[in-house]
Structure formats: structure tokens, C-alpha cells
Amino acid sequence: MTREPTAPESLTGIGATALGVALLRALESDRPDRLFDDPYAQHFLAAVDPASTPWAAGPSPSTARFLRMMAEQVAVRTRFFDRTLLAAAAQRCDQVVLLACGMDARAFRLAWPPGTKVFELDFADVLAFKAAVLDDRGATAACHRVEVTTDLRQDWPRALAESGFNPERPAAWLAEGILYALPPEAADLLLDRITTVSAPGSVLALDHMKDSELLRSARADISAELVDLWRGGPTENLNAWLTRRGWQATVTDIAEAAAACERPIPPAFDPARADAGRGWLATAHLPKPR
């Protein structure tokens, strides 16, 4: 029996940014020069009552400026992570872990190598909503997809292990749109936990952003709750932060990543603007012992 989608309580307030990202992915997928295709993003939005979130109503006066600020960043970030995860899966990382996955449909839309197992971690209501929408569309995962009901503030490594994750095998990790919403100590704990359960040869992909006058103002147009979304994340640069825990990191400024995709620099991260911030994409590898 098909489950009727119910808008999850976890996707209200700050959690609703998962729907904002879905809207940006839907808009990118409609472009003739799109950097990726996410045919499911619009279905998540269509399943939500527009009265419950500004994102489900599509672009509106309240969301327009924020969408302009972030559209290119999300487009470039999504393709960057798509390629990073597929490359890792092709190089022996047959376990892929999507932390706080939200409306991420990579398990369905990417061409995973045979035998790939994708673990999706999020709140129970978020996973149930997503599964109901995908079931309603008759979507079939292109991998072995495992839902892991958990909270990143709790003992999520245990929940992951109980769902079949093997810490003795290399894994590809994705922390997308997470770090900036964490206070420094929570960001450190997240990385420490990832490192503890990562076998040599594992890959970690993540992004981070610095807040700015421009972003705060755009968020204020939507909701007062979103103004306080940025909690700082790591207190040191990503390269040093990752290296101290044994990862070999490559960090790319979002402006450089956009140029590589022949896209304009996202306004919120344009170094030519005094009111803009900085944004980065990073990949890191856990080397094998010598």
C-alpha cells in the first residue's frame, strides 16, 4: 500500500532549509544548461502544503533574494558532490553515508556501481515523508538504500552500525549543508565521530560557508528563525581542521568551483563584494597506514 505523504515536523523552522535546497535543485533541473538532473526535487515540494513553508509555493517575493544568493552555490555544490561520491564508489568505497540527508535523492538519481550501499541518516518523519513521496512516484533506488533513523546530536554511529554499516570497510561520507549550522564543538564532534568509524581509504565530502551581511539580510526576508541558522562551524580553516584528524584534504573556494563550471560567482560568496562571505567545497581522504 502506498503511504500518503505527510509534511514532517522536522522540516519546519530551520529544518525547512531541506525544502529550500529541493526548490533550488528543481529550478536547476529545469535549466537547459543544468549541471545535474534531479527529477524528484519538485515532487517533494508538491507534496507539502504551501501554507506550511515558503519553499513549497515556489519562488516568491519573500524567497526571491535568497534564491538568487544561493542558486549557483547549490548547483555547483550538488554537481561537485555527485562526482565526488561516484568517484569514491568506483574506487572501493562501496558504503556511502549521507548525513542529515533531507530531500537528497542521490540514491535514486545517480548511476551507482553494482554493490553500492547508500545509508541515509535523518529523523524518522523526514525519512518517512521522503519514502512516501518516492513510493508514490514509483521510484526505484539505483543502489541498496538503507534508511537510518537517528539524530546527529545523539549516538548516530551506533544507529549506523546497527543498520549494517561496516567500519572495517572504506566509506564515502557526505556532510552537505551541515557545518555552518553547528556550533564549533558540535562540528568537532561530528568530524571526530566520522573519523572514528572510517576505515583507511575512506573519502569525506563537505561544504562550509561563512555568514555575511548579505546572507543574513536575505534570510530575514523569509523568516526570523533563519537569521540565527548560522552557528559558526569549525573555528579553523577546513584544511587544518581536517588534517589534524588525519585526513588529506583538498579545499576549493566556491568562486573557483563556479568558474570551473562556467557559472557566475554566487553573489553571497563574491569576493568583490564587501557584504559577501566565503564558501568552500572540500574532499578529504583517509590514507592507509604506511
Side-chain angles (χ1 to χ4, degrees):
M1 179 181 296
T2 301
R3 288 174 284 181
E4 186 69 22
T6 301
E9 292 183 4
S10 299
L11 290 186
T12 59
I14 288 175
T17 54
L19 294 171
V21 173
L23 175 56
L24 286 166
R25 287 179 173 161
L27 294 171
E28 176 68 21
S29 298
D30 283 341
R31 292 179 55 149
D33 63 342
R34 58 183 175 267
L35 298 181
F36 61 87
D37 185 24
D38 185 344
Y40 305 104
Q42 184 57 49
H43 298 309
F44 296 133
L45 297 165
V48 178
D49 181 354
S52 67
T53 172
W55 308 113
S60 67
S62 66
T63 61
R65 189 155 67 109
F66 184 82
L67 294 175
R68 287 197 303 272
M69 294 296 103
M70 299 299 293
E72 298 294 356
Q73 188 266 355
V74 168
V76 170
R77 180 182 78 179
T78 300
R79 183 164 83 160
F80 181 91
F81 289 149
D82 284 356
R83 294 184 171 187
T84 298
L85 294 176
L86 286 175
Q91 297 169 5
R92 296 185 57 249
C93 290
D94 58 358
Q95 302 180 111
V96 178
V97 184
L98 309 179
L99 299 166
C101 62
M103 299 299 103
D104 190 321
R106 288 184 172 93
F108 295 83
R109 65 179 182 80
L110 296 184
W112 297 103
T116 303
K117 184 180 291 188
V118 175
F119 296 87
E120 297 190 357
L121 279 64
D122 216 314
F123 296 110
D125 57 352
V126 173
L127 294 173
F129 169 77
K130 182 160 72 169
V133 172
L134 292 168
D135 288 350
D136 186 59
R137 304 306 303 181
T140 301
C143 58
H144 180 187
R145 175 173 172 258
V146 182
E147 295 180 344
V148 183
T149 298
T150 191
D151 182 333
L152 292 188
R153 295 168 294 186
Q154 305 301 326
D155 188 5
W156 61 263
R158 174 182 293 182
L160 182 58
E162 291 173 349
S163 298
F165 178 82
N166 183 355
E168 303 300 319
R169 296 183 59 81
W173 300 86
L174 178 62
E176 182 176 20
I178 296 176
L179 289 186
Y180 59 82
L182 298 176
E185 61 276 12
D188 290 345
L189 178 59
L190 178 67
L191 181 56
D192 289 340
R193 284 174 162 173
I194 293 171
T195 304
T196 298
V197 295
S198 292
S202 293
V203 175
L204 170 59
L206 53 83
D207 66 307
H208 188 37
M209 329 176 204
K210 291 295 185 183
D211 203 4
S212 65
E213 176 186 339
L214 192 60
L215 270 179
R216 282 192 298 273
S217 176
R219 297 199 306 275
D221 289 344
I222 303 168
S223 166
E225 285 183 287
L226 293 181
V227 175
D228 296 326
L229 172 60
W230 262 250
R231 303 293 300 280
T235 57
E236 56 190 330
N237 69 68
L238 289 182
N239 206 316
W241 187 63
L242 290 160
T243 299
R244 281 201 303 108
R245 291 164 174 83
W247 295 87
Q248 295 178 346
T250 301
V251 180
T252 304
D253 191 284
I254 192 65
E256 297 174 4
C261 293
E262 299 183 342
R263 287 293 181 89
I265 298 172
F269 309 103
D270 187 346
R273 297 187 61 143
D275 57 352
R278 296 285 303 280
W280 305 272
L281 303 172
T283 55
H285 298 77
L286 198 62
K288 298 179 180 180
R290 293 182 180 273

